[in-house]
Amino acid sequence: EPEVTQTPSHQVTQMGQEVILRCVPISNHLYFYWYRQILGQKVEFLVSFYNNEISEKSEIFDDQFSVERPDGSNFTLKIRSTKLEDSAMYFCASRIQGQYGYTFGSGTRLTVV
Amino acid sequence: QKEVEQDPGPLSVPEGAIVSLNCTYSNSAFQYFMWYRQYSRKGPELLMYTYSSGNKEDGRFTAQVDKSSKYISLFIRDSQPSDSATYLCAMSLVNQAGTALIFGKGTTLSVSS
């Protein structure tokens, strides 16, 4: 069964450093998303991406965050200057056109120290 | 007022029991309703996906949506120990933007053999 692949599975970074989280969505999916889940809290929407541009973003997705689809297969989330409160599981998801159930990746656990 | 409310549990049942999981929501514009299963430190896995009101059945799982009451349910028949996980409800609007999912906090289910 096709999967959304995320790397790395766990990243530890120092406060103020830049991190890039990587995702390979399912190949025929056209809509891409990043969500995060702080330990013990809800899964929260960050951003959606379609046709090589951001289509929607939440209040969490401020100027410190950016997304990119650099080569037609990868989909990345960059955090420019990490804060302690950015520590969370970050999930990439994708979906096919016409259906609204997403497929999620296994996530990247980001720990900011 | 929180958009999606879900009792976090934990809910403990014996093997073979019928399980009922529920969410309420406040935004009457939600049109797509989903249930995801999440194992510890894994990404959400789509179980059921329904549009508007009504019932949908898939094997041991039945999803119900009552838009007039703003209430959705997931029933699990003949529950198995492998069903032990956190169950997340999620819902979305439909618009030209990203169809971001709004999640409940999740209900932790434990099925004992």
Side-chain angles (χ1 to χ4, degrees):
Chain A
E1 188 165 330
E3 288 184 342
V4 174
T5 305
Q6 289 188 245
T7 55
S9 57
H10 188 194
Q11 173 130 19
V12 181
T13 188
Q14 290 204 324
M15 192 168 52
Q17 295 297 302
E18 175 184 286
V19 294
I20 298 176
L21 310 183
R22 303 181 190 279
C23 170
V24 179
I26 295 173
S27 61
N28 63 339
H29 287 193
L30 299 179
Y31 297 83
F32 313 114
Y33 305 84
W34 284 100
Y35 284 76
R36 79 172 186 190
Q37 186 175 31
I38 295 171
L39 188 64
Q41 297 189 25
K42 292 184 178 184
V43 177
E44 300 175 291
F45 169 72
L46 293 179
V47 66
S48 59
F49 192 86
Y50 171 69
N51 202 25
N52 285 319
E53 60 183 22
I54 290 173
S55 48
E56 190 177 7
K57 60 183 180 180
S58 71
E59 293 174 352
I60 303 167
F61 194 88
D62 62 20
D63 291 346
Q64 292 301 309
F65 291 87
S66 62
V67 289
E68 195 176 36
R69 188 158 162 79
D71 57 13
S73 61
N74 290 285
F75 180 50
T76 61
L77 174 69
K78 182 193 289 186
I79 310 175
R80 286 190 186 81
S81 178
T82 49
K83 308 183 192 68
L84 294 176
E85 55 264 37
D86 293 327
S87 295
M89 282 288 284
Y90 287 81
F91 294 109
C92 174
S94 66
R95 71 174 176 92
I96 200 166
Q97 186 152 10
Q99 295 195 16
Y100 295 91
Y102 300 13
T103 301
F104 281 82
S106 290
T108 294
R109 178 170 300 279
L110 177 65
T111 303
V112 182
V113 297
Chain B
Q1 186 180 11
K2 295 179 183 175
E3 281 204 281
V4 179
E5 298 269 15
Q6 185 176 9
D7 185 341
L11 181 61
S12 296
V13 301
E15 184 175 356
I18 296 174
V19 176
S20 172
L21 305 166
N22 311 293
C23 287
T24 59
Y25 62 95
S26 56
N27 189 342
S28 58
F30 286 136
Q31 293 189 44
Y32 286 90
F33 303 91
M34 293 145 222
W35 286 94
Y36 284 85
R37 178 172 61 194
Q38 187 177 28
Y39 293 110
S40 181
R41 297 182 179 244
K42 296 290 187 184
E45 172 195 4
L46 181 64
L47 283 176
M48 302 284 288
Y49 147 54
T50 54
Y51 172 70
S52 197
S53 283
N55 292 2
K56 185 173 182 179
E57 189 173 318
D58 184 2
R60 295 185 296 112
F61 298 91
T62 300
Q64 285 186 351
V65 174
D66 182 348
K67 290 192 75 178
S68 61
S69 303
K70 299 193 187 72
Y71 188 87
I72 69 171
S73 300
L74 177 71
F75 298 95
I76 307 174
R77 289 183 298 282
D78 188 25
S79 55
Q80 303 294 310
S82 58
D83 295 328
S84 298
T86 298
Y87 289 80
L88 309 173
C89 64
M91 44 202 80
S92 72
L93 308 172
V94 177
N95 53 41
Q96 289 301 107
T99 60
L101 293 181
I102 309 300
F103 281 86
K105 199 169 182 182
T107 300
T108 301
L109 171 68
S110 175
V111 181
S112 55
S113 57

